Amino acid sequence: MAGGKTTAADLGAYLCFEDEAGQGLRPPKGRTWAPVGARPVVTVRGRGSGRINMAGVVAFRDGERPHLFYKLHVYHGRKGEPKTFSWSDYRDLIVATHQQLGAPLVWCWDNLNVHLDGRLAAFAAEHADWLRLVQLPAYAPELNPAEGVWSLLRRCLANFAVTDLSGLARIIKRKLKRIQYRPHLLTGCLTQTGLTLDTPTKP
C-alpha cells in the first residue's frame, strides 16, 4: 500500500501503458544516410493513400524484464472502411496481453474517445479480478513510455521506402520485433518519462 492506495505491486500486476501511432507510405522525417556531398532522394507514391495504424502496450513489473505487445490495423483509404481500431480491437489487445503475461494488469492510457467507450468499462468491470483501467492526465504524452517506442520506430523507418501497405506492414512488424527483444530499450522508454516502479516497503 502507498498512501492508503493499492498499487500495481500490491496486486502482483503488470503496469501497462498503451498508446497509438500511425505511418503512411511517406517515410517519417529524421536522420538518414547518404554519401558525403550527395543529397538523399527518396521516391514515394504521389497519392500516398492508406496508412498502418499501430496500437502498442509496454508492460513493466518490478524485478522482471519489460514487455512490448502490439496490434496493427491496415487502412487502405477505401470508402466505408474502418479508419482505425474499434473498441473490440482494444479489448482483444488487453486479453492477449493478459494471456501472454499470465498476471493481473493495471492498464494506463489516454482519453481517446474509444478508450472511454462504455463497453470497455463494462469489460473491465466484468474482469475486475485481473484488470484495472487508469486514465492518464490529458495532454501528457511525456508520461507514457509507449511514446518512446514510436520514437524508436520512426528512427528505424527513416531510411526505408516502400511501394505498398503490405510492404510497410512487414517492415513495421520486423522493427517492432527487434524492439521487443531489446528490453533495455523499453526500460529506457520508462526512464525518459521520469516514472519509477514503486515497490512498497515491507514492514
Side-chain angles (χ1 to χ4, degrees):
M1 305 291 286
K5 297 182 179 180
T6 304
T7 67
D10 293 322
L11 301 170
Y14 278 88
L15 189 59
C16 302
F17 295 88
E18 191 277 340
D19 192 53
E20 302 80 21
Q23 179 59 50
L25 293 176
R26 186 179 298 276
K29 294 180 179 179
R31 292 179 178 270
T32 186
W33 58 266
V36 176
R39 183 176 182 178
V41 177
V42 179
T43 302
V44 297
R45 282 185 173 182
R47 183 166 176 244
S49 62
R51 65 190 288 107
I52 305 293
N53 297 307
M54 303 166 283
V57 54
V58 284
F60 303 93
R61 189 160 69 172
D62 194 23
E64 299 187 22
R65 66 181 291 271
H67 300 268
L68 167 65
F69 305 101
Y70 61 88
K71 188 178 184 71
L72 301 187
H73 173 274
V74 181
Y75 172 60
H76 299 90
R78 299 166 183 160
K79 185 177 180 180
E81 181 185 13
K83 292 185 177 181
T84 188
F85 299 101
S86 67
W87 78 271
S88 59
D89 290 322
Y90 288 106
R91 176 203 60 199
D92 294 345
L93 179 59
I94 292 172
V95 171
T97 302
H98 173 58
Q99 291 175 341
Q100 288 289 326
L101 297 177
L105 309 178
V106 175
W107 194 272
C108 308
W109 53 13
D110 60 21
N111 296 303
L112 190 68
N113 286 343
V114 67
H115 294 169
L116 303 176
D117 192 298
R119 288 168 290 189
L120 282 171
F123 175 77
E126 182 181 354
H127 299 282
D129 57 320
W130 60 265
L131 176 63
R132 297 193 183 188
L133 299 182
V134 177
Q135 304 299 141
L136 292 171
Y139 309 112
E142 69 278 1
L143 295 179
N144 195 334
E147 290 280 354
V149 172
W150 306 139
S151 178
L152 292 170
L153 179 63
R154 283 191 291 270
R155 294 180 208 171
C156 295
L157 295 177
N159 288 306
F160 283 89
V162 294
T163 59
D164 54 41
L165 291 173
S166 60
L168 177 60
R170 285 194 298 271
I171 292 173
I172 288 175
K173 288 179 180 179
R174 187 163 69 244
K175 296 304 179 182
L176 287 175
K177 187 173 182 179
R178 287 175 65 88
I179 296 173
Q180 279 183 317
Y181 286 92
R182 286 164 173 76
H184 67 281
L185 295 178
L186 301 177
T187 300
C189 292
L190 178 66
T191 301
Q192 288 182 346
T193 67
L195 301 176
T196 59
L197 299 176
D198 182 18
T199 302
T201 303
K202 294 182 180 180

